[in-house]
Amino acid sequence: MSPLFSALAPAKVNLFLHVGPVDADGYHPLASLVAFADVGDGLTVAPAPGLSLDVSGPFASGLEDGQGDNLVRRALTALGRAAEISDPPLAVRLDKRLPIAAGLGGGSSDAGAALKLARDALGLALDDDALARIAAEIGADGPMCLHARTVWAEGRGDILTFEPRLPPLHAVLVNPGVPSPTGAVYRAYDAGPPAAADRPAPPADWSVPAVTDWLALQRNDLQTPAVGLSPAIDQALSAVAATPGVALARMSGSGATVFGLCLDQAAARDAARRIGADHPQWWVVPCVLNPANG
């Protein structure tokens, strides 16, 4: 029986996202502090005669099937080119637990986890930096999702500085069940007044209350254009902000997922219970952001 290699592809959360005007090459400079959660999609890889991808889970219907243009398949094809393997001989199973087009980096995180698992399953002599270069072929957030560590992201999201001081943050993630396509949100952003990709000075105190207060001074520049396209995001923001125990509510990435920061695990679980009861049609989960520092 072939050995199985499994991993979590964690949800990516932009704790803040400052975005500048589009440049001459059509890209937006940004500054963000990115953390990864202890919830996400599940990946399993096993040696096989050829490359196959099976997608299951509650959000599987939102993806192309294993023969389609899925980021996992694209990443493994790129790995094959780098390793001079025409098609990595692997059977891959993706348990899609995160909503699609949700501002959680799901596809890029899936690709990053798949690259690491494929390396281990095939015994390839490639370190994480080499895999990150392959992940960059898939998308701008590919390298940060490959590393899946708290990081400052600048430039086009390709200038990364790891941040070891962020404490674990208890949170609730809420998605109101509407997609928020990144391209449409950026076009709406471009139609409004430009902001700036400024990186703020880090907090002087890295305790949870101080970090939460510091984050409250930052912003997500894509939140207003995303809300304009999908009013359900504003409903989610209002619901999360009004929930007892939530200290800060903000949209992640280009949406539509909203996160609510809480001061402890009990508050996060209670917030998830309350929001889930009031909005049973929404996707609501408690989580820990940056759990590795716990």
Side-chain angles (χ1 to χ4, degrees):
M1 184 175 180
S2 299
L4 294 177
F5 298 81
S6 300
L8 177 75
K12 172 184 72 73
V13 172
N14 296 89
L15 295 172
F16 73 82
L17 179 58
H18 297 175
V19 181
V22 65
D23 63 21
D25 295 325
Y27 291 94
H28 293 82
L30 59 85
S32 184
L33 182 61
V34 178
F36 291 83
D38 62 351
V39 299
D41 296 331
L43 266 293
T44 301
V45 167
L51 178 60
S52 65
L53 174 60
D54 177 68
V55 183
S56 61
F59 294 100
S61 62
L63 293 179
E64 294 281 355
D65 64 24
Q67 303 305 314
D69 186 26
N70 180 280
L71 290 186
V72 170
R73 176 172 283 275
R74 289 171 57 188
L76 294 179
T77 300
L79 175 67
R81 289 195 300 268
E84 298 183 346
I85 303 170
S86 59
D87 232 0
L90 299 168
V92 184
R93 295 183 63 88
L94 169 60
D95 181 9
K96 192 63 187 171
R97 306 169 192 160
L98 296 177
I100 309 297
L104 297 175
S108 295
S109 189
D110 294 342
L115 286 172
K116 289 181 177 179
L117 291 175
R119 172 190 59 192
D120 296 344
L122 298 174
L124 301 177
L126 296 170
D127 62 16
D128 283 358
D129 289 335
L131 292 183
R133 289 190 290 271
I134 296 171
E137 300 178 28
I138 310 305
D141 59 353
M144 73 174 77
C145 288
L146 182 286
H147 292 297
R149 294 165 52 193
T150 297
V151 66
W152 298 87
E154 297 174 271
R156 296 173 180 176
D158 57 340
I159 302 173
L160 305 178
T161 306
F162 295 118
E163 179 50 80
R165 294 171 291 181
L166 186 75
L169 300 174
H170 292 280
V172 57
L173 301 180
V174 176
N175 186 284
V178 297
S180 184
T182 300
V185 172
Y186 270 103
R187 287 191 292 274
Y189 168 82
D190 289 336
D198 53 309
R199 172 175 166 173
D205 177 359
W206 285 90
S207 66
V208 171
V211 167
T212 302
D213 289 343
W214 174 80
L215 285 171
L217 301 175
Q218 315 311 324
R219 61 191 192 273
N220 180 345
D221 291 329
L222 299 183
Q223 184 169 297
T224 295
V227 165
L229 294 173
S230 301
I233 299 173
D234 194 43
Q235 297 171 17
L237 282 164
S238 297
V240 174
T243 302
V246 172
L248 172 66
R250 177 169 291 154
M251 189 185 79
S252 176
S254 56
T257 303
V258 172
F259 65 90
L261 293 185
C262 303
L263 296 184
D264 56 40
Q265 183 183 64
R269 290 180 173 177
D270 184 63
R273 180 188 60 77
R274 290 173 181 267
I275 297 169
D278 290 341
H279 302 277
Q281 74 278 22
W282 290 359
W283 179 79
V284 182
V285 295
C287 71
V288 182
L289 303 176
N290 195 39
N293 273 12

